Amino acid sequence: MDLDLAPEDAVFRDKLRAWLKQNLPQAARRRSVSEGEAPGARLAAMKAWQRKLHAAGYVAMGWPREYGGQGATLMQQTLLSEELVRHKAPGLVGMMGLQMVGPTLIHWGTEAQKRRYLPPILTADELWCQGYSEPGSGSDLASLKTSALREGDHFVVNGQKIWTSNAQIADWMFCLVRTDKAAPKHAGISYLLIDMKTPGIMIRPLLQMTKDAGFNEVFFDNVRVPVENVVGGLGQGWAVANTTLLHERNMLGSTTQTQNIFEALLRVARTTLRDGRPATEHPVVRQRLAALKIQVEAMRLNAYRNLTATLQGKKPGIEASITKLVTCELNHQLAATALDLLGPYGTLYRGSKHLRDDGFWPYELMFSLGLIIGGGTAQIQKNIIAQRGLGLPRFK
Ligand SMILES: Cc1cc2nc3c(=O)[nH]c(=O)nc-3n(C[C@H](O)[C@H](O)[C@H](O)COP(=O)(O)OP(=O)(O)OC[C@H]3O[C@@H](n4cnc5c(N)ncnc54)[C@H](O)[C@@H]3O)c2cc1C
């Protein structure tokens, strides 16, 4: 493992840092969870930020040039995502397009699909949502029931999706549907691109414990979708969906984000009193912080080890599952520790003038729980690590 940057990568990083210093929106430097911002204005600001990044060449840098990317090296992509997190840049509103359906289309899509769907993903002109989970099909995704029956040159879609993040703002959904009820479970599934404005789609928001309504139920009642919107061929949906899932896991676990949260926790510990002294001088707190720091550091080095392996051309294995599993659980523990240190102040939420760090800690405690479940639960990641990584037998 070589932790030194090549000269051209150091130049790339320095240029990026200078750009971020000049262009990062001031209000976005922190992860604000304050009330009072109109959702429309927030969405417009997030789209504007993605367009600014795109104009500077910093969106989807790894995509091939013919589809609007830069054909950037893996090292440059890694530096970009690290620097964005380090500078507390706002997340990209088009993330599901950029990180999930975009790479999937590059791999599986027809040329016409790539030309049609990729450009507006880059510019945030079209936002996407993921229609996988159903009320009875989460971890056991292949049991999904939403059906798409062929009628001439259209499919007619009927059924229900649930936990659909961002459906309320999405223009399109990449959706798993059952196109052949007689085929074995996995073989009857297709991957369909659905225009969210099509008649027959109803979206119902679900309120989360953070008080946000970021995900939804989506109902399909005789929704007509052109047959050319199938990706990867009829009945190939399971393989296509797994390409997307791998990218999703990569998206959900960020070791740099976890390092940021640990640094913020340290600031809380240094400025909070325990038995009349800074909490960082209290032996029990010190033990707890040290144990967390060891995990954070192990994940940082693990990320570099994975990067080195990929740069050396080794095939990806279970790394994304490990990173997703550990960082999501670690973020939750970091938030729980901060709340313990803050005592009664930690329980304050939106609207209070006594909020610490703009209410980040209670928000993170609740939000991080969702990420432990979304994109494949912690238990499912453990199954993957056990079976594909350690070669253990399948649990029956
Ligand atoms: C914040 C968030 C955002 C989401 N966004 C989306 C989205 O945009 N689109 C979308 O399609 N879905 C989305 N989801 C849904 C998510 O993918 C599912 O919640 C997840 O796959 C788990 O499915 P489930 O909720 O049906 O739980 P279940 O699968 O019913 O699991 C219940 C419990 O049983 C455990 N379990 C199940 N099977 C096994 C097994 N084989 N071995 C061991 N333990 C097992 C699970 O780990 C869990 O603890 C989101 C979820 C969250 C929390």
Side-chain angles (χ1 to χ4, degrees):
M1 180 159 62
D2 181 2
L3 296 181
D4 288 329
L5 286 183
E8 65 275 17
D9 291 329
V11 169
F12 171 83
R13 186 200 53 195
D14 294 345
K15 208 174 131 202
L16 171 62
R17 281 182 179 169
W19 188 89
L20 284 171
K21 218 173 240 166
Q22 291 233 312
N23 292 284
L24 200 60
Q26 280 304 320
R29 283 182 186 271
R30 62 199 162 78
R31 184 168 164 187
S32 172
V33 290
S34 305
E35 273 180 316
E37 200 177 6
R42 186 170 161 76
L43 182 61
M46 291 186 81
K47 285 187 176 187
W49 168 238
Q50 182 169 324
R51 285 174 190 146
K52 197 173 190 181
L53 264 179
H54 176 247
Y58 290 130
V59 166
M61 291 194 74
W63 289 14
R65 283 184 188 281
E66 66 263 41
Y67 302 124
Q70 308 283 323
T73 63
L74 182 63
M75 188 50 120
Q76 288 174 343
Q77 295 171 60
T78 306
L79 287 171
L80 174 65
S81 51
E82 276 191 357
E83 290 301 321
L84 287 174
V85 175
R86 203 159 275 149
H87 284 80
K88 301 188 176 56
L92 293 183
V93 66
M95 206 49 142
M96 288 195 166
L98 292 166
Q99 294 270 20
M100 295 168 74
V101 73
T104 307
L105 286 171
I106 289 171
H107 186 88
W108 290 94
T110 61
E111 197 49 37
Q113 287 172 337
K114 292 177 195 174
R115 301 262 166 228
R116 162 63 188 85
Y117 296 110
L118 295 178
I121 287 177
L122 294 167
T123 52
D125 284 316
E126 286 181 353
L127 303 180
W128 287 77
C129 63
Q130 176 190 33
Y132 279 22
S133 305
E134 296 183 7
S137 308
S139 303
D140 183 16
L141 187 57
S143 66
L144 62 94
K145 291 191 180 65
T146 295
S147 68
L149 298 179
R150 188 151 181 180
E151 265 184 25
D153 53 3
H154 281 76
F155 286 106
V156 180
V157 180
N158 279 289
Q160 184 199 341
K161 296 291 172 181
I162 194 167
W163 318 124
T164 319
S165 304
N166 295 340
Q168 76 280 17
I169 55 167
D171 304 284
W172 286 85
M173 172 188 277
F174 52 97
C175 186
L176 293 183
V177 290
R178 191 158 294 286
T179 40
D180 185 351
K181 286 186 182 163
K185 201 162 136 178
H186 294 82
I189 296 173
S190 299
Y191 192 103
L192 202 57
L193 309 180
I194 302 180
D195 183 342
M196 293 296 278
K197 289 182 288 302
T198 320
I201 297 181
M202 190 182 83
I203 301 170
R204 210 157 63 185
L206 291 164
L207 194 65
Q208 293 146 243
M209 61 175 150
T210 56
K211 291 190 182 174
D212 292 333
F215 51 31
N216 307 267
E217 292 175 291
V218 181
F219 299 87
F220 300 91
D221 182 10
N222 289 320
V223 174
R224 295 180 70 79
V225 182
V227 287
E228 64 262 24
N229 287 16
V230 169
V231 179
L234 207 58
Q236 293 299 314
W238 191 248
V240 184
N242 273 299
T243 304
T244 311
L245 278 177
L246 187 65
H247 287 283
E248 181 178 17
R249 266 166 222 147
N250 276 326
M251 173 179 94
L252 290 174
S254 159
T255 51
T256 318
Q257 170 78 355
T258 304
Q259 289 164 48
N260 274 358
I261 299 176
F262 182 79
E263 293 303 321
L265 169 64
L266 266 190
R267 284 194 291 276
V268 170
R270 285 192 182 113
T271 51
T272 311
L273 295 182
R274 264 286 194 284
D275 298 339
R277 287 182 301 163
T280 39
E281 292 177 18
H282 193 283
V284 176
V285 175
R286 290 171 71 83
Q287 289 279 340
R288 194 164 166 187
L289 291 175
L292 289 167
K293 174 67 180 173
I294 289 167
Q295 291 186 65
V296 173
E297 192 59 13
M299 288 317 291
R300 187 177 75 86
L301 294 174
N302 193 49
Y304 285 131
R305 185 174 66 170
N306 295 342
L307 178 63
T308 308
T310 316
L311 289 172
Q312 288 167 353
K314 296 193 180 129
K315 268 182 94 168
I318 50 163
E319 294 81 5
S321 286
I322 295 176
T323 308
K324 200 251 160 192
L325 171 70
V326 181
T327 54
C328 291
E329 291 195 334
L330 197 46
N331 292 348
H332 187 67
Q333 289 175 41
L334 294 171
T337 307
L339 287 185
D340 280 353
L341 290 172
L342 290 171
Y345 283 98
T347 60
L348 298 173
Y349 201 45
R350 294 173 179 175
S352 168
K353 61 179 181 185
H354 300 293
L355 284 182
R356 177 71 195 255
D357 295 337
D358 199 28
F360 171 79
W361 296 108
Y363 182 85
E364 180 63 20
L365 185 88
M366 295 184 276
F367 185 76
S368 58
L369 267 182
L371 293 189
I372 294 171
I373 299 167
T377 67
Q379 290 74 22
I380 294 301
Q381 304 308 327
K382 285 178 186 167
N383 284 350
I384 293 172
I385 294 164
Q387 287 156 20
R388 294 185 210 160
L390 304 175
L392 297 178
R394 241 184 132 73
F395 177 73
K396 297 222 174 35

